[in-house]
Amino acid sequence: MQSQTKPLLNLSLEELTDLVLKLGEKKFRAEQLYLWLNKGVPFSGMRNLPESFLTRLKAETTEGYAEILNRQVSKDGTTKYLLGFADGVSVEAVLMKQSYGNTLCISTQAGCRMACAFCASGALGLQRNLLAGEILAEVLAAVTDGNTVNNLVLMGMGEPFDNYDNVVKFLKLVNHPKGLNIGMRSISLSTCGLVPGIIAFADEGLPATLAISLHAPNDAIRRQIMPIAKTYTMGEVLDAAKYYFNKTGRRVIIEYVLIDGINASAENAAELAGRLRGFNCHVNLIPYNAVGGDFKAPNKAAVEAFRQTLEKNKVGATVRKTSGDDIDGACGQLRLKHMNSKQGK
Ligand code: SAH
């Protein structure tokens, strides 16, 4: 079906201009269309565009918006969205309200092929990549649902660097002055450590924040919980992170999910500190969020002791505040439930 192959939201202003000219319209129509699209307005509401042009667009394209299939609002104001696309694929996005503004956590793929042992997103493998415009549609869904989005984190479902071109295109779209105009410095991207992606992203020269899911103090433990660690060693990942820092001057965030009995002991903390000492990074400690399975988070005292060991060794660390605990807050959970229910589980 042709109308599904060309969602307009996936086009840059330049690409949209080419399309508009090809359809025999004046160039300035492209900008009008672009402004409407980036406000999430349907064809029927694009008042300054000629009816004949809109009829043509409707026949040959779609706007490319996502449909809100489910919305869960937590006691702390966190809102979790299940968003659907035309082909039936669904992804999650989570809006978190903080004192410094609203942060939207978005997905870059439907599912994921990285299969980290502790993560719900990887449980069903990769369904498909999202187009740049589909990632943008997640942000627009939150905005048209009445929210201000100040910051973005690409930490929902999927591995951003396994969908590199679409993710970089998305960053340029969402940052566009005539689009949502969200500043690159307000955007963080998290990777499980695809080294070539980290290097390419450093060379891209976009001042976003890079976060790396390290989750272990050494390769042996990392390989137990992250299959990607069999492809790239921790040394290679940290070297790429240092390359990123040297190239961009942007401090890297190291993410570390604390799992009791796996990577959360005092010894693990000391070893991690040794690996990170001297590298200008900041560690984000994330107590494991239960998503089914055998893992559990360490107790509060153990989490705090881990943090203090890092700090004592001059490695800055904070414990990530959890939000939305009462609404399947962890990434991948809501979709997993949705897909299981579709399969009658
Ligand atoms: N693929 C990317 C981004 C998506 S996940 C990456 O791996 O970084 C965003 C973060 O949530 C990652 O650090 C991931 O390891 C973490 N995460 C996944 N499942 C989790 C869980 N059950 N509890 C706590 N953190 C989890």
Side-chain angles (χ1 to χ4, degrees):
M1 205 196 309
Q2 198 184 4
S3 66
Q4 286 184 7
T5 60
K6 209 184 268 175
L8 293 179
L9 219 47
N10 195 48
L11 304 182
S12 65
L13 182 53
E14 294 70 33
E15 290 165 337
L16 202 58
T17 305
D18 288 346
L19 178 73
V20 163
L21 293 174
K22 217 169 74 196
L23 293 176
E25 285 292 332
K26 296 245 168 57
K27 193 178 165 199
F28 76 96
R29 296 291 182 203
E31 193 172 311
Q32 290 178 320
L33 184 56
Y34 194 73
L35 292 171
W36 288 124
L37 287 166
N38 279 277
K39 288 193 173 71
V41 172
F43 287 136
S44 58
M46 299 181 180
R47 293 181 312 257
N48 57 3
L49 294 177
E51 206 51 51
S52 56
F53 178 41
L54 287 173
T55 306
R56 188 92 193 269
L57 284 176
K58 257 186 252 175
E60 295 185 26
T61 67
T62 61
E63 300 95 329
Y65 301 134
E67 185 189 347
I68 298 178
L69 299 175
N70 189 333
R71 182 197 293 100
Q72 292 184 352
V73 184
S74 143
K75 284 185 221 124
D76 62 17
T78 303
T79 306
K80 180 148 199 167
Y81 294 100
L82 183 71
L83 303 170
F85 296 108
D87 63 351
V89 160
S90 61
V91 298
E92 294 179 16
V94 183
L95 186 85
M96 293 159 288
K97 300 187 174 166
Q98 288 129 340
S99 54
Y100 51 87
N102 293 344
T103 299
L104 186 70
C105 177
I106 51 179
S107 299
T108 54
Q109 297 178 309
C112 185
R113 356 181 234 177
M114 298 299 136
C116 298
F118 47 82
C119 179
S121 297
L124 299 175
L126 177 69
Q127 204 173 3
R128 69 167 173 82
N129 278 330
L130 296 186
L131 294 169
E134 291 175 322
I135 308 174
L136 185 63
E138 295 178 55
V139 187
L140 281 169
V143 169
T144 53
D145 199 37
N147 305 292
T148 305
V149 175
N150 305 99
N151 311 292
L152 289 176
V153 293
L154 280 65
M155 297 188 185
M157 293 193 309
E159 166 50 45
F161 290 160
D162 190 35
N163 186 17
Y164 187 90
D165 291 345
N166 280 310
V167 165
V168 168
K169 184 174 183 182
F170 158 73
L171 292 175
K172 292 176 180 167
L173 289 176
V174 81
N175 176 242
H176 197 281
K178 295 205 161 83
L180 285 168
N181 197 12
I182 296 180
M184 280 298 169
R185 287 170 199 278
S186 306
I187 304 177
S188 300
L189 180 153
S190 176
T191 177
C192 65
L194 297 187
V195 169
I198 298 171
I199 306 275
F201 197 61
D203 293 338
E204 210 74 56
L206 303 174
T209 297
L210 179 70
I212 295 188
S213 294
L214 202 61
H215 302 335
N218 58 49
D219 281 312
I221 296 180
R222 202 161 188 263
R223 285 188 199 117
Q224 267 178 40
I225 51 178
M226 300 178 75
I228 192 65
K230 292 172 191 148
T231 308
Y232 304 107
T233 63
M234 236 178 100
E236 289 168 328
V237 172
L238 289 175
D239 281 349
K242 286 173 192 165
Y243 177 80
Y244 181 85
F245 175 72
N246 292 333
K247 194 88 200 227
T248 63
R250 314 257 326 143
R251 194 175 66 165
V252 171
I253 304 290
I254 300 291
E255 294 167 282
Y256 196 103
V257 173
L258 288 165
I259 310 172
D260 192 40
I262 303 277
N263 64 359
S265 69
E267 190 194 342
N268 297 151
E271 189 177 5
L272 180 67
R275 290 300 293 262
L276 297 181
R277 200 177 298 132
F279 173 37
N280 190 356
C281 64
H282 186 84
V283 178
N284 228 325
L285 296 171
I286 316 166
Y288 167 74
N289 207 327
V291 293
D294 298 332
F295 293 143
K296 66 180 177 55
N299 63 34
K300 263 200 165 139
V303 171
E304 183 50 26
F306 199 99
R307 190 189 69 78
Q308 280 182 16
T309 301
L310 293 177
E311 291 276 348
K312 264 187 234 143
N313 286 282
K314 304 207 166 19
V315 177
T318 41
V319 178
R320 187 179 288 174
K321 202 179 133 271
T322 58
S323 32
D325 284 351
D326 51 328
I327 54 161
D328 301 325
C331 72
Q333 275 180 288
L334 187 61
R335 171 173 169 272
L336 198 57
K337 270 194 189 165
H338 177 74
M339 294 187 56
N340 283 342
S341 70
K342 276 209 296 197
Q343 290 161 12
K345 285 190 194 155

